C-alpha cells in the first residue's frame, strides 16, 4: 500500500464518520447546556449571616400603620421605574401590606398611603414572618436579598427571554422574589397558618 494513501484514507474516514459523530456530540452537549441553563437550581446550606441595617426608611404613613396594626402578616413590594413629568426616570416602590386577622390591606407608593381595602378576615392566625418590608430596597443583588431575608436555601428558576429578558424567580421558605439583570424588582411573602 502506498504510504501517501494512508493519510488520505484516515482523513476520509474522519470526514465521513468521525466528524459527523463529533458534530452530533457537540450539538447534544450544546442542547444539554441550553436546557441546563433554563432548569431550576437549588442552593442550600447557606451560612447564616446577621442582617445589616434596614435598607429602607419607613415613611410617617408606614410608621403610623406599624403603631396601629403591627408588622404586616404578609407583604409584597414591586420596584419599577416610571417616567417623571420632566422626562427623567423615577424609582417607584409599590407596597401592599396585608393584615388578614384584622381584615385590612394597605397600599403604599414610595411610602405614602394610597389605599386601604377591607379583606375577608382569617379565623386562623397566620404564622409570623422572618422578614419585614423595610429590609428590602430596590435593585439589591442576590447576596443582599439572601442576607436581608436570612435565607439558608432557595430555588432559582430562570425566566424565558421572550417573557422577561434577564429575569429570574426565586423561591424560599414563605418568600418569593424576582431579579432582572441581577437586581431585585419584586418580593412577596407567602403566609402560612399556625396550627391550633
Amino acid at each position: 500500500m502506498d504510504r501517501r494513501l494512508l493519510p488520505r484514507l484516515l482523513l476520509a474516514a474522519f470526514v465521513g464518520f468521525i466528524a459527523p459523530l463529533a458534530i452530533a456530540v457537540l450539538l447534544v452537549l450544546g442542547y444539554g447546556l441550553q436546557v441546563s441553563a433554563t432548569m431550576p437550581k437549588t442552593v442550600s446550606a447557606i451560612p447564616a449571616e446577621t442582617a445589616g441595617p434596614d435598607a429602607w426608611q419607613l415613611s410617617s404613613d408606614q410608621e403610623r400603620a406599624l403603631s396601629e396594626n403591627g408588622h404586616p402578616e404578609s407583604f409584597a413590594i414591586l420596584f419599577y421605574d416610571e417616567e417623571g413629568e420632566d422626562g427623567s426616570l423615577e424609582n417607584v416602590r409599590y407596597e401592599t401590606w396585608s393584615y388578614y386577622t384584622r381584615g385590612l390591606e394597605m397600599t403604599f407608593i414610595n411610602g405614602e398611603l394610597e389605599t386601604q381595602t377591607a379583606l375577608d378576615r382569617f379565623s386562623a392566625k397566620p404564622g409570623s414572618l422572618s422578614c419585614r418590608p423595610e429590609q428590602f430596597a430596590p435593585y439589591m443583588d442576590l447576596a443582599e436579598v439572601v442576607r436581608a431575608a436570612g435565607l439558608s436555601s432557595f430555588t432559582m428558576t430562570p425566566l424565558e427571554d421572550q417573557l422577561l429578558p434577564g429575569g429570574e424567580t426565586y423561591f424560599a421558605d414563605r418568600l418569593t422574589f424576582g431579579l432582572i439583570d441581577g437586581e431585585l424588582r419584586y418580593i412577596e411573602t407567602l403566609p402560612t397558618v399556625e396550627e391550633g
Side-chain angles (χ1 to χ4, degrees):
M1 174 184 248
D2 188 359
R3 286 190 175 171
R4 291 177 292 179
L5 187 59
L6 183 60
R8 289 183 185 152
L9 287 174
L10 290 175
L11 181 61
F14 179 77
V15 170
F17 176 72
I18 297 175
L21 181 63
I23 290 170
V25 168
L26 289 175
L27 288 174
V28 168
L29 286 175
Y31 176 75
L33 291 174
Q34 180 182 7
V35 168
S36 174
T38 61
M39 297 296 292
K41 295 169 184 59
T42 299
V43 176
S44 59
I46 300 170
E49 289 189 43
T50 305
D54 289 341
W56 171 255
Q57 180 66 43
L58 294 175
S59 68
S60 58
D61 286 351
Q62 291 171 319
E63 291 284 0
R64 191 176 312 106
L66 283 179
S67 68
E68 293 173 3
N69 305 299
H71 285 294
E73 294 165 334
S74 181
F75 65 87
I77 310 171
L78 177 64
F79 304 105
Y80 61 94
D81 297 324
E82 187 172 77
E83 189 173 330
E85 292 177 12
D86 63 355
S88 65
L89 289 179
E90 298 174 4
N91 295 336
V92 177
R93 179 186 175 104
Y94 185 96
E95 296 179 67
T96 303
W97 293 10
S98 301
Y99 296 92
Y100 301 110
T101 54
R102 293 180 173 270
L104 175 66
E105 188 167 84
M106 306 174 89
T107 300
F108 302 90
I109 297 179
N110 290 336
E112 291 183 27
L113 180 63
E114 289 293 315
T115 61
Q116 290 191 69
T117 308
L119 295 175
D120 290 335
R121 288 181 181 225
F122 281 20
S123 56
K125 181 175 174 44
S128 61
L129 296 176
S130 61
C131 52
R132 304 174 324 277
E134 60 267 29
Q135 293 173 280
F136 305 98
Y139 316 117
M140 294 173 98
D141 65 24
L142 178 60
E144 291 169 322
V145 174
V146 167
R147 188 172 34 258
L151 299 180
S152 59
S153 66
F154 61 83
T155 298
M156 184 275 292
T157 303
L159 299 175
E160 292 289 331
D161 277 344
Q162 294 84 355
L163 178 64
L164 186 61
E168 298 171 331
T169 303
Y170 295 81
F171 301 93
D173 181 30
R174 295 179 289 167
L175 185 71
T176 184
F177 56 98
L179 275 61
I180 299 175
D181 296 327
E183 298 178 331
L184 180 65
R185 294 303 184 105
Y186 177 77
I187 188 159
E188 180 178 12
T189 59
L190 308 170
T192 58
V193 175
E194 290 181 351
E195 294 290 328

